[in-house]
Amino acid sequence: MKILPLALAQFIASYAATNMNVAISTIAADLGTTITGVQTTITLFTLVMAALMVPGSKLTDICGRRRCFVLGLAIYGTGALLAAFAPGPGLLLIGYAIGEGVGSALMIPPIYILVTALATDPTARAKGFGIVSGAGGLGAAAGPLLGGLITSTFSWRASFVVQVLVVAVIILFARNLPGTPGQHDRFDLLGAFLSGAGLFLLVLGVLRTNVNGWGVTTWLLIGAGVVVLALFALHIHRAENPLCEPKLFRDRTSNLGLGTQLVQWLVLQGTFFVLSVHLQQEQGLTAIGTGLALLPATIGLLVTSALAGRFARRHSQRTLIRVGFLITIAGTLQQPVGLFLVGAGIGIMLTASVNVVQSRWPDADQADVSGVSRAVSNLGSSLGTAFVGSVLTGAGHPYRAALTLLVLFATAGLVLALFIRSDGEPPRG
């Protein structure tokens, strides 16, 4: 039962990242904004999570796990409440992108650290990671269907009200979680600024292609992001108490696992976004119609996520990741009939990639690696929406071009998976 609030929290954060897709047209019309404006808000939500996830994991060590978890839930719930009653796109952005984004960055890192604390046995820990990761994948997959059902039956605002109610329930359940005192009293403010600013500029550059194309401004923003991230890398090598330990980026297996995580969420979020826009703008489907059209992906992800534990006992993690990418590529090439395969493929490998990364490091490093892992996953979600959105605004056959781009990214993920030679056993020495 103690895993339940952790799984629910991961579910609701992932649900928030995809449920907006099926209501894009409705929200744009209701708030007097554009499809691009709503896309920007969706992208900024995942970007805020990505930018603040590593600082959030460090605050977990400073404030304590349960306290940081509950604080994040409270901020998330407040943001959802603001978004529910937003009179215009500005307050929607503040409530959804900033409020829910900051709240998620504070509540998600403790989830994976608490799983480690609750399950010291490696087998039980893998099962816990599977439950939480499966809940995250299920939330992302169920977002379009549940979001479409709620939007069509009530309003897109009701979806945010539901999130507020779920968060309140999670806070009640969180009373049974183990509380831990803060272990550190120093926070790397410069490191937090550099990591957040670098990720923000990088994704903003891709996002601005909707307006500027791949022109000078776009490349200046992307270049600035790369430079700031390079300064962050230099800083953590020199700081006495860095935001995260540099050794987390020196391990080959862990880095490859992080790379596959980024691609998985990029493809998942990108697929839901491109299909949602296509179905609403080109096919004229309603929110519930769009959710139902995406149902095969939800079923595929649900089925394979439920079988994650059984898969892990019978096959190596690296094999699951490779097979997952192959199935995802096959499904993307067969759109829209291949949606079940896309969901199934991603469901097969989500938990496997998390296990490869998290299991690679001892308990003392779980806070840092949890933050890095979640940051990379949310960066993938941000880039998925941003890249696909930039293609959808082009001429010719943007829908086909967007799907081709997703196939190329999935192929790159498969290549990364082929180089994984370990299932995440701790490095020796």
Side-chain angles (χ1 to χ4, degrees):
M1 279 296 290
K2 289 185 178 180
I3 294 289
L4 180 60
L6 306 178
L8 280 176
Q10 182 63 75
F11 174 90
I12 204 67
S14 299
Y15 167 83
T18 59
N19 84 97
M20 289 269 283
N21 289 332
V22 297
I24 288 175
S25 299
T26 304
I27 296 172
D30 190 26
L31 299 183
T33 185
T34 63
I35 297 295
T36 300
V38 180
Q39 177 208 347
T40 300
T41 301
I42 295 172
T43 303
L44 287 177
F45 165 66
T46 52
L47 176 55
V48 168
M49 279 199 290
L52 298 181
M53 200 64 72
V54 177
S57 68
K58 185 61 68 174
L59 287 174
T60 298
D61 273 349
I62 295 174
C63 301
R65 297 165 184 173
R66 185 175 62 190
R67 184 180 302 173
C68 194
F69 180 63
V70 173
L71 176 62
L73 286 166
I75 295 174
Y76 183 102
T78 302
L81 195 61
L82 289 174
F85 295 98
L91 191 57
L92 176 67
L93 187 146
I94 292 173
Y96 175 62
I98 298 178
E100 291 194 14
V102 171
S104 297
L106 288 173
M107 74 179 182
I108 290 178
I111 292 175
Y112 290 83
I113 301 169
L114 284 166
V115 168
T116 302
L118 290 170
T120 54
D121 177 73
T123 302
R125 184 176 300 174
K127 182 179 179 181
F129 284 146
I131 293 173
V132 171
S133 298
L138 178 59
L145 179 61
L146 293 179
L149 179 62
I150 294 172
T151 299
S152 297
T153 305
F154 302 102
S155 163
W156 62 268
R157 299 177 186 274
S159 185
F160 286 105
V161 175
V162 169
Q163 292 178 57
V164 174
L165 296 176
V166 173
V167 164
V169 171
I170 298 172
I171 291 176
L172 290 176
F173 285 155
R175 292 178 301 174
N176 297 322
L177 293 174
T180 56
Q183 299 176 3
H184 302 284
D185 57 2
R186 297 178 62 187
F187 181 71
D188 183 11
L189 189 60
L190 178 58
F193 171 77
L194 290 174
S195 64
L199 292 173
F200 182 84
L201 289 169
L202 185 67
V203 178
L204 181 63
V206 179
L207 188 62
R208 291 294 295 177
T209 56
N210 291 328
V211 179
N212 303 318
W214 291 93
V216 176
T217 303
T218 296
W219 288 111
L220 283 175
L221 287 170
I222 293 175
V226 172
V227 170
V228 174
L229 288 175
L231 291 174
F232 169 70
L234 181 64
H235 166 75
I236 62 175
H237 278 85
R238 296 183 175 182
E240 293 183 4
N241 185 38
L243 186 67
C244 58
E245 293 294 334
K247 66 180 180 181
L248 296 180
F249 304 100
R250 296 181 188 141
D251 185 78
R252 180 175 180 270
T253 299
S254 180
N255 288 342
L256 289 170
L258 290 171
T260 60
Q261 281 185 231
L262 185 145
V263 175
Q264 288 161 19
W265 285 99
L266 186 156
V267 173
L268 179 63
Q269 184 74 354
T271 299
F272 280 139
F273 183 80
V274 66
L275 290 176
S276 296
V277 172
H278 176 72
L279 292 170
Q280 292 173 75
Q281 295 295 300
E282 302 298 326
Q283 305 294 329
L285 295 186
T286 62
I288 183 61
T290 303
L292 289 172
L294 296 175
L295 182 59
T298 303
I299 295 174
L301 205 153
L302 175 61
V303 170
T304 51
S305 294
L307 295 173
R310 183 176 300 179
F311 289 154
R313 289 191 296 270
R314 297 182 177 181
H315 308 282
S316 68
Q317 304 297 328
R318 57 186 181 274
T319 297
L320 293 174
I321 298 172
R322 294 165 186 171
V323 171
F325 273 120
L326 286 171
I327 294 174
T328 300
I329 291 170
T332 306
L333 290 172
Q334 297 296 321
Q335 294 293 339
V337 295
L339 268 177
F340 175 83
L341 293 179
V342 172
I346 292 177
I348 287 173
M349 57 185 168
L350 277 181
T351 300
S353 287
V354 171
N355 281 338
V356 166
V357 176
Q358 298 279 159
S359 300
R360 189 68 177 168
W361 303 100
D363 291 353
D365 296 313
Q366 285 298 313
D368 282 357
V369 74
S370 176
V372 171
S373 175
R374 296 304 93 203
V376 166
S377 295
N378 285 289
L379 177 61
S381 294
S382 298
L383 289 173
T385 305
F387 274 121
V388 166
S390 69
V391 174
L392 287 177
T393 58
H397 302 280
Y399 172 65
R400 188 180 304 168
L403 291 179
T404 301
L405 182 63
L406 291 173
V407 170
L408 292 176
F409 275 118
T411 303
L414 175 60
V415 172
L416 290 176
L418 292 176
F419 285 96
I420 297 177
R421 301 301 182 200
S422 168
D423 267 3
E425 298 85 357
R428 298 184 180 181

